[in-house]
Every structure is written in structure tokens, then in C-alpha cells.
Amino acid sequence: MVSLVFLLYETPDTALQRLIVYQRLSNDEARHSVNLLYDWALHAQSRQTWKYEFLEALTICRLYNIIRKLGFDVSQIRKHYLPDNLNVSIYTDPMKKVLYKLCESLNSEIFSRLQKTLISYNYNVSEYRTCELVLLELISKRFIKLGYYDKDKKSYTNTYDIEELAKIIEKFSTVSILASVLREIQEQINSPNLKNKPQNFTSIETYNIPGPSKIKEDKYQEGFDEIFELMNQCHNDENEPGANFKSDTMLLKDAYVIKNRKRIGVCCIINQDKFYPSKQSLQNNEHIDLEDRLGSRLDLMALERTMTSLNFKVKSKSNLNHEEVFQFIKDVLKYHVTAEDSVFMLCILSHGVRDHVYAADSVRVKIDDIQNLLDSEHAHHLRGIPKVLILQACQVETESEVKNKIVADSPPLNDFYLKKSHFLVYWATAPEYEAFRIEDKGSIFIQCICALIKKRAKYEHLIDIFTKVTYNVTALCTKLHKPQVPLSKSTLTKKLYLSIPE
């Protein structure tokens, strides 16, 4: 019903209002009382072609059972209206036909990303449950500009403009080709030489557009079980740590003070594992299509458990846009950091490049700006106490790596220089190297950090622990023929313990 109204109604505002009422009706009996097609037919009967318009819409929507009940031969109807050819239509506006195909091709995951993207354009369409309503909203607000197709004269009035939508759609890999189709039809319709509808363009089969499907995480290949055994080496060092680090206990005068063993500090975690394009990222010409970071939630859980066990207050959020990233950090600093805290830790799990991490809206966030925030008036409680930044900056590089279930995380491509005191920044990888994440186990870097902090925090200061992490990650990735070398930068002035040494 929704799709037919979208294709048939000529006035988008009317279609949207009727469908909003239709969507809000909670039961089928109430919905049947709103006869949207009957209302359309009463208005359309003034045209001799109205029955054929309806039949073409039924064919585009593949409602073949209804077509049979009307007494038509489905195969003949399909040959006449060519529902799979996006550039051929007889009575339906060809732009609407492509937009309908877009609705048909979006799965729930991509539809959710589209809604979030549109919020960045100040179009809050989160209440709509179908893509057709979202598009009608955009058409009504002139974000998508459609002309009018005179069905009797078979010609167009006004200029079509779908460029802003096309810029968004091309960022979603599964339907990106539809952006090209939209532009192609727009060019044809807007051509001054066009008197009739565009016909005989490329068939949809050429584009190989997938239909909606549930996103499923593949089962991990058994051949990678050996990798998990190698990761377990992080838990099993040859020597007991207690025998080797007693000297540090005697040197607490060279360490940062731990004010309260029952509350060491605050650990703030930002987990970005789902991404969508936004107005700002498109304006910044961010051409990268950021894949979902499968496995990142396992890193989040590991960090939460590890830091909680060390008496840190843990605050975490997932999938924040670039403004929300800074607001979340400010809120943690304002409402959760106190003068009694001895350490502040910030962990960011995301895609990243060149001293930046990506927010969920695909906008780059500069790490230096985050560091400046932690050294500003918003963070007055952090003055003079150590601040630790752990950055798992991830970016899938090639399709083959995704299929192998080990995905590459791009590094900062130029050097990172610390300008503030009492900072320790630890990147998952050094410049010109990749960092790797195993999709159903988590990232090698974060998992090794958690394993070694759990084992060594009561005996060893953090830089020594990070040195061991670097060794383990480098050795493990060398065995996997996936070179990765973590990088730490420090302006700490003393040794930093996450627990009072035993």
C-alpha cells in the first residue's frame, strides 16, 4: 500500500499526510478503513489512462497476484512495463521508479544509517518506518526536487534535482550505483531537447543491485583457531610478575600518587562500530565508505571489565557523531571526574587516519583537539594528573581482508607529537603500518592490552606494560604475516601505576 501510494499520488504532501495516518493506525481493521487507493482513483478517473497507471504501479511493485486477479497475463504485463528496467516507464515518473527501487534495496541497517545522515541535514525522519515516507518528506521539503510529469502530454515541467540525495546514496556501497542511475535520468529529463520520457536505457540487471537482506556475521573459519591460541600467549608469560617488579614498590616516590585505592580514576570509552555519511563529511569530500567494525564491541566489553576490576569508574558510549564525541567527554569531565581521581583514561575504538579518528557520522576528529580539551578549563580536575589515551584506530583497506575475517586498521600516516604534560598516548600502530582486528574476537591490540593490564597492573607501571604489549602484538602479527607495531608517545614525568603496587 505504501509503495503504491508513493508511485501513484502526484502531490507528495498529500501522499505523506495520508501515509502518516496510515502508519499510525495500529490494527489492520482500522487501516482498511483508510482506502488510499480509492481516494486516488476518484481523483485520477478524470484521466483516460488511470487504469494503466495503476497497472504499471502494480507491476513495478511486483504485485503479480493482484494482476492475475484482474485477469491479466503476468508475463505479457512484465514485457510491456519492464519493471526491472529503471530507465523505462510509460506512466510512472521514471525518477520515482528509481527511488522506489532504492526503497526496495535498503535493508534495515542501511535505512537506519540513512535516517541518521538526514538528521545532520536537519531532517528528523526517525519516526518513519518505511523509506517511501522518508523520500516523500524530502520531496515535500524540496531536498529532492521533482518536476511534474504530464501523463497526457507525456512530457515534464520544471527542473529535477536529486544531487544532494545522490551524494548520500553513493556512500552506501550496496546501493551506490543507484546514485549514477538517478543522475543519468535527471540529466535526460532536464535536457532541453527532451520532449518525451527517457526510454531504453540500461537495464537494472546490468547494475546487479541486491535486494534487502539481513546482515549476518559469517562463522569464523576453523583455520584461524591457531591465531586465538597465539593471542592467549598474552595471558601466559614465562615468569611470575611478582618476583620481577618488587623494586618498583620501593620507588613510589618516583610515581604519580594514587589518592584512593578504592577509586583509582575514570575510564571513558568511545566505541564507534557503525558509520553513516553526514552533511559535513560529504561537504569535506570524505570519499571513504566506512565499514561496520565487527568485533569492536568485544573490545569495549574487555576494556569495561578490565578497568572496572582495577577500581576505575567506567563510562562508555557507542556510535557518537563528531559533536557528541566532544560533548560526551565534557559531560564525563563535568559530572564524573573528581578531585579524588588519580588517573584519567580515554579509549577510542574507531576507524582512523593521520592523527584523526572517525566519528559515527564519518567526520574526522583530530586527536590533538581531544588532547586540548583534556587540558582545558573543562578538565580542571585533571591538572597535574596523568591522562592516558588509547587509540584503536581502524579502517578496512581491502575487500579480501574482510573475507578472511582479519581486517586492517589504518595508522596515523604522519608522526604524532605530544605538546602537553602528563599525557601518555598509545596508538594501535605506528605510521605506515596497519593494525588488525579479528571480527569475532576483537582487535589484537586492545585484547593484549586488557590481558596484560589484568596480569601486571599490581606489579608494573604502565609504560612497561605497554612495552610488553608492543612486543606481544608485534610478535603475534609477525607470525600472522600481518606487520603491526604499536606506538606510544609520553610526556609523563613519573611512573604511572593503575594500582598500588604489592
Side-chain angles (χ1 to χ4, degrees):
M1 179 66 72
V2 173
S3 299
L4 289 173
V5 169
F6 175 77
L7 291 171
L8 291 170
Y9 274 60
E10 296 175 1
T11 306
D13 301 78
T14 302
L16 179 61
Q17 293 169 8
R18 299 284 179 85
L19 287 174
I20 288 175
V21 173
Y22 184 77
Q23 176 181 276
R24 289 175 179 172
L25 296 176
S26 58
N27 58 70
D28 290 338
E29 183 177 349
R31 284 187 174 183
H32 284 311
S33 67
V34 182
N35 198 329
L36 299 176
L37 296 181
Y38 180 75
D39 293 342
W40 169 81
L42 285 178
H43 175 74
Q45 282 180 357
S46 61
R47 298 189 299 271
Q48 294 181 350
T49 59
W50 76 272
K51 293 181 181 179
Y52 306 111
E53 297 168 26
F54 180 57
L55 186 58
E56 183 176 30
L58 290 174
T59 308
I60 292 172
C61 296
R62 295 178 176 81
L63 297 173
Y64 299 136
N65 286 335
I66 296 177
I67 292 173
R68 291 190 186 95
K69 289 181 180 180
L70 292 174
F72 292 96
D73 182 282
V74 171
S75 62
Q76 292 301 316
I77 292 296
R78 281 176 53 84
K79 289 179 182 178
H80 183 69
Y81 290 111
L82 297 176
D84 293 325
N85 191 319
L86 293 184
N87 302 94
V88 175
S89 61
I90 300 176
Y91 299 103
T92 301
D93 185 326
M95 193 69 79
K96 277 192 174 182
K97 188 174 181 180
V98 182
L99 292 174
Y100 166 75
K101 182 60 182 179
L102 172 64
C103 296
E104 187 182 49
S105 301
L106 295 183
N107 57 36
S108 59
E109 180 73 20
I110 302 299
F111 179 55
S112 176
R113 291 172 62 189
L114 174 62
Q115 289 176 307
K116 292 177 181 177
T117 298
L118 291 171
I119 288 175
S120 71
Y121 287 82
N122 296 319
Y123 294 105
N124 189 347
V125 292
S126 56
E127 66 174 304
Y128 298 143
R129 297 195 295 268
T130 63
C131 183
E132 286 89 345
L133 269 75
V134 171
L135 295 179
L136 285 171
E137 175 82 15
L138 298 180
I139 296 170
S140 299
K141 297 293 178 61
R142 304 293 286 170
F143 182 81
I144 300 172
K145 296 178 182 178
L146 299 187
Y148 171 71
Y149 177 66
D150 190 316
K151 295 180 172 64
D152 295 322
K153 297 181 180 179
K154 294 186 178 182
S155 62
Y156 297 95
T157 63
N158 300 327
T159 301
Y160 282 59
D161 186 357
I162 49 77
E163 182 57 29
E164 292 302 314
L165 177 66
K167 289 178 181 178
I168 296 172
I169 296 305
E170 67 185 358
K171 297 300 179 182
F172 302 130
S173 58
T174 57
V175 293
S176 60
I177 193 62
L178 288 177
S180 299
V181 182
L182 286 167
R183 289 180 173 126
E184 178 184 354
I185 293 179
Q186 174 181 268
E187 181 180 357
Q188 294 293 331
I189 292 176
N190 290 341
S191 172
N193 299 321
L194 182 69
K195 295 182 179 179
N196 296 318
K197 299 196 304 357
Q199 294 185 15
N200 301 322
F201 296 110
T202 308
S203 173
I204 187 61
E205 282 83 358
T206 305
Y207 293 112
N208 193 26
I209 304 294
S213 60
K214 295 181 179 179
I215 296 177
K216 295 182 179 180
E217 191 169 333
D218 295 332
K219 294 294 183 181
Y220 201 84
Q221 300 177 21
E222 294 180 1
F224 288 97
D225 289 342
E226 182 181 355
I227 296 174
F228 308 145
E229 292 301 321
L230 292 172
M231 290 183 72
N232 289 334
Q233 292 177 6
C234 294
H235 297 266
N236 300 308
D237 296 322
E238 294 180 359
N239 301 315
E240 287 298 322
N244 296 322
F245 306 109
K246 290 182 180 179
S247 60
D248 283 335
T249 308
M250 305 302 297
L251 297 174
L252 288 180
K253 62 182 181 179
D254 294 330
Y256 287 97
V257 174
I258 294 179
K259 305 171 186 177
N260 183 354
R261 68 165 64 233
K262 293 183 179 179
R263 179 183 163 118
I264 303 299
V266 175
C267 178
C268 177
I269 308 172
I270 299 175
N271 173 52
Q272 311 282 34
D273 59 5
K274 294 184 182 297
F275 301 85
Y276 58 93
S278 64
K279 181 179 182 179
Q280 182 166 332
S281 69
L282 294 173
Q283 288 177 339
N284 293 342
N285 294 318
E286 296 283 3
H287 297 296
I288 189 168
D289 182 17
L290 299 174
E291 299 285 345
D292 290 348
R293 300 180 59 253
L294 298 178
S296 186
R297 289 193 177 273
L298 298 175
D299 289 341
L300 171 63
M301 293 167 58
L303 285 167
E304 288 177 333
R305 288 195 301 265
T306 299
M307 301 316 297
T308 299
S309 69
L310 292 174
N311 294 329
F312 275 74
K313 182 172 186 178
V314 176
K315 303 299 295 182
S316 64
K317 279 194 174 182
S318 296
N319 302 323
L320 305 178
N321 66 37
H322 69 284
E323 293 178 345
E324 292 169 341
V325 166
F326 288 97
Q327 189 58 53
F328 175 53
I329 297 173
K330 289 178 182 178
D331 289 344
V332 171
L333 294 173
K334 181 177 180 179
Y335 299 111
H336 301 288
V337 175
T338 71
E340 293 301 310
D341 290 316
S342 303
V343 183
F344 180 80
M345 182 177 290
L346 172 62
C347 306
I348 301 179
L349 318 174
S350 185
H351 292 299
V353 67
R354 295 185 182 180
D355 300 342
H356 298 71
V357 291
Y358 280 99
D361 58 353
S362 301
V363 175
R364 293 180 182 181
V365 175
K366 194 173 183 179
I367 294 301
D368 196 47
D369 291 340
I370 292 177
Q371 189 182 347
N372 289 336
L373 173 60
L374 298 180
D375 206 40
S376 68
E377 287 300 319
H378 292 283
H380 60 277
H381 286 318
L382 300 185
R383 295 287 170 80
I385 75 169
K387 295 163 278 289
V388 181
L389 277 65
I390 296 177
L391 306 168
Q392 172 65 38
C394 313
Q395 181 178 327
V396 176
E397 294 287 354
T398 64
E399 186 175 333
S400 61
E401 287 169 327
V402 176
K403 293 178 180 178
N404 288 334
K405 305 297 287 182
I406 298 181
V407 289
D409 299 347
S410 72
L413 297 183
N414 58 353
D415 207 357
F416 182 80
Y417 297 99
L418 290 171
K419 302 174 183 178
K420 309 292 184 180
S421 296
H422 311 295
F423 274 90
L424 173 57
V425 179
Y426 197 20
W427 284 91
T429 188
E432 300 181 3
Y433 285 84
E434 295 175 325
F436 295 95
R437 173 172 34 90
I438 301 176
E439 292 186 347
D440 58 357
K441 289 294 180 179
S443 67
I444 297 173
F445 176 66
I446 294 296
Q447 294 298 323
C448 280
I449 282 179
C450 292
L452 290 172
I453 283 180
K454 283 181 182 179
K455 183 150 189 156
R456 292 175 167 263
K458 293 183 179 180
Y459 307 100
E460 189 172 3
H461 59 85
L462 196 56
I463 288 182
D464 279 356
I465 295 175
F466 283 177
T467 300
K468 188 67 174 177
V469 170
T470 299
Y471 170 79
N472 276 274
V473 171
T474 304
L476 174 57
C477 290
T478 298
K479 290 183 180 180
L480 300 175
H481 305 290
K482 302 277 188 181
Q484 175 181 342
V485 182
L487 171 69
S488 64
K489 294 284 186 176
S490 174
T491 58
L492 297 180
T493 59
K494 300 177 182 179
K495 294 176 181 178
L496 172 58
Y497 291 90
L498 299 182
S499 177
I500 295 180
E502 296 181 355

